[in-house]
Amino acid sequence: MLESARAMRHGLAWKWVVALLLAAGSMGRAQAASLQVAPTQLQLGARQNAEALWVSNSGTAPVQVQVRVYEWTQHAGQDALSATSAVMASPPMQTLAAGQQQLIRIVRTDAAPPATQQAYRVIVDELPPPVGEREGMQFVLRYSIPVFVQPQQGARQQPLLQARQVTLADGRPGLEVHNSGTGHAQLADLAVGTIERPQIIHAGLLGYVLPGQTMRWPLDLPAARLAGATFTAKINGQSAQSPLPAAPASR
């Protein structure tokens, strides 16, 4: 199995395309995956118990879909998913006929408002057909969709970010971003330089920093070129660059 991950440019869902290399005899043919999802991010209010996720099959053959929900946290500078019963998908399995669209309800099992913003990810998998029905190279899709549940507070939940350069475990230069705010931050179009003249060093979606969490990403630039650099990014879908204030070196 060969797996390649592509973050949707300026998108809010992560999408994986998985190519199953099958020894079924017809290696010259490939069947394109046809699963689509909308929207690519879900927001639930403090007292909102469910939200709608639509899955559709734009292909010419039936597609079997599996939907799972995981708690989303961040540890040691990386995303982490763990099993949860606080949010569930209904139905969790579905077969879509060609051209069919299906509503999947993302349901909170606890109606009490959370004390802080909660984060989950809905994993939507297009399952491969049975072994006997496979031909050639089979492409299937996986979507990872952020879900945020807001706390019962009047003020809007906002991120508060600080960034610094670090050396990653493999010796590469990296960027560490800490979020001490009350809301998540989606970072895109990471750049060095000023807001007026940013030099993009990572186009498109970089990733998320959840409230109270820290994330790290490698930087594909020599460490000498990054010395003293200041960083900017587009935060939560904004059209303009925003500064990422420097964190204290001792943090």
Side-chain angles (χ1 to χ4, degrees):
M1 176 181 292
L2 305 175
E3 181 170 323
S4 61
R6 297 182 303 164
M8 298 173 65
R9 181 175 176 84
H10 300 299
L12 297 168
W14 294 344
K15 178 173 67 176
W16 284 262
V17 180
V18 183
L20 301 177
L21 193 59
L22 305 172
S26 301
M27 300 304 294
R29 291 182 290 173
Q31 179 177 334
S34 54
L35 179 65
Q36 297 178 351
V37 300
T40 53
Q41 179 179 293
L42 297 175
Q43 296 266 4
L44 282 80
R47 298 190 178 278
Q48 182 180 356
N49 292 333
E51 186 57 279
L53 179 70
W54 291 93
V55 296
S56 59
N57 177 10
S58 61
T60 58
V63 169
Q64 188 173 13
V65 179
Q66 181 182 55
V67 185
R68 294 167 291 171
V69 184
Y70 294 92
E71 182 182 8
W72 177 22
T73 56
Q74 294 171 331
H75 300 287
Q78 296 184 339
D79 289 313
L81 300 181
S82 56
T84 182
S85 60
V87 179
M88 304 181 70
S90 178
M93 298 284 290
Q94 181 71 33
T95 299
L96 299 179
Q100 182 183 356
Q101 185 179 56
Q102 172 67 42
L103 170 66
I104 305 293
R105 297 179 73 244
I106 306 303
V107 182
R108 293 177 59 205
T109 58
D110 184 357
T116 59
Q117 185 184 79
Q118 303 295 302
Y120 303 89
R121 278 195 173 265
V122 178
I123 306 298
V124 182
D125 284 310
E126 178 181 12
L127 301 182
V131 174
E133 300 178 14
R134 300 176 184 174
E135 293 185 351
M137 183 178 291
Q138 189 80 33
F139 292 94
V140 294
L141 292 180
R142 165 174 289 181
Y143 290 90
S144 179
I145 301 162
V147 180
F148 298 104
V149 181
Q150 305 300 334
Q152 184 63 42
Q153 296 181 12
R156 181 180 177 185
Q157 306 305 297
Q158 297 281 7
L160 183 60
L161 305 178
Q162 288 184 315
R164 68 184 181 113
Q165 298 174 46
V166 295
T167 300
L168 302 179
D170 59 6
R172 289 184 296 170
L175 176 68
E176 179 182 278
V177 181
H178 178 71
N179 181 2
S180 59
T182 57
H184 68 275
Q186 180 217 27
L187 304 182
D189 288 349
L190 179 68
V192 294
T194 64
I195 295 177
E196 295 77 14
R197 301 185 64 181
Q199 177 189 351
I200 303 296
I201 60 174
H202 188 289
L205 179 64
L206 178 67
Y208 289 78
V209 192
L210 301 178
Q213 304 297 318
T214 300
M215 282 291 290
R216 300 185 188 97
W217 295 277
L219 297 174
D220 295 326
L221 287 175
R225 189 175 173 187
L226 291 166
T230 57
F231 297 92
T232 68
K234 294 177 181 177
I235 300 174
N236 289 338
Q238 295 177 348
S239 59
Q241 297 286 124
S242 295
L244 297 177
S250 60
R251 195 188 62 76

